[in-house]
Amino acid sequence: MSPVSGAGPVAVLVGPMGSGKSTVGALLATSYGVRARDTDTDVEALEGRSISDIFVESGEEHFRALERSAVATALAEHDGVLSLGGGAVLDAATRDLLVGHRVVFLSVGLSEAVKRVGLGAGRPLLFGNMRAQVKKLLDERAPIYASVATVTVDTDETAPEDVAVRVRAALEAVDE
Ligand code: S3P
């Protein structure tokens, strides 16, 4: 396990779209007094275009390669809270890199995920039948998130502020 400061992020948040990784990540970072970072934002900044544009113009495979490299860079240089894009853990090399980090799986049920992603704007994987797509992604990926997680925190019917408190408590329990 990485120490709280010095080597790697204080916490790495994984979970599906709509699990609240970015919102909870920002709150958790404030609580720890560290910076929040998000690999989706890193990819967009490096490419100078949105994730939707990258998917449409260059394809998902290209996005996944950019994401793999963004995650590796952030894991190596960020010592705050790091949120990964929902599909980042599909990559085996990324899963290997996560070993030894404090990985938090923010889980979310189908109804709540659908509510939170709204119309899915800006999320290319949700184009088409949104509810069916979210269900498919949740079903396929839940075991993968669980496999890389140090702790799992359920986010259903819980305000992001309370999720952040629970994440911190869960991580502190692991460190005891
Ligand atoms: C994706 C999740 C998105 C983004 C991209 C693909 C996925 O990130 O990386 O649209 O495969 O689940 P968020 O989980 O932050 O929405």
Side-chain angles (χ1 to χ4, degrees):
M1 194 70 43
S2 309
V4 167
S5 63
V10 170
V12 183
L13 304 187
V14 302
M17 297 180 237
S19 60
K21 298 181 296 292
S22 302
T23 311
V24 172
L27 291 164
L28 197 58
T30 302
S31 145
Y32 279 116
V34 297
R35 285 172 310 124
R37 181 161 166 173
D38 188 315
T39 58
D40 283 342
T41 310
D42 287 353
V43 168
E44 292 186 327
L46 265 173
E47 283 287 290
R49 52 189 177 145
S50 69
I51 289 177
S52 294
D53 284 348
I54 299 171
F55 264 73
V56 170
E57 293 164 7
S58 309
E60 178 171 354
E61 207 177 313
H62 183 67
F63 169 73
R64 294 300 176 198
L66 296 170
E67 179 174 55
R68 182 183 313 122
S69 141
V71 173
T73 302
L75 283 174
E77 67 185 26
H78 186 60
D79 56 8
V81 175
L82 180 65
S83 302
L84 306 192
V89 298
L90 298 178
D91 184 80
T94 294
R95 292 199 296 276
D96 286 346
L97 285 182
L98 289 174
V99 173
H101 286 284
R102 285 186 184 74
V103 181
V104 181
F105 168 23
L106 294 183
S107 70
V108 62
L110 176 61
S111 309
E112 187 101 3
V114 168
K115 219 188 303 168
R116 291 192 200 154
V117 296
L119 293 175
R123 284 172 159 129
L125 288 182
L126 301 184
F127 293 168
N129 183 341
M130 229 266 294
R131 192 181 169 86
Q133 285 294 91
V134 172
K135 180 171 178 3
K136 182 168 171 284
L137 292 180
L138 289 182
D139 290 349
E140 282 172 3
R141 295 177 178 180
I144 304 176
Y145 295 128
S147 77
V148 298
T150 315
V151 298
T152 297
V153 175
D154 185 22
T155 69
D156 270 357
E157 291 169 30
T158 311
E161 291 76 10
D162 295 329
V163 175
V165 169
R166 287 185 201 178
V167 167
R168 193 166 168 163
L171 288 174
E172 278 164 9
V174 167
D175 286 334
E176 273 168 8

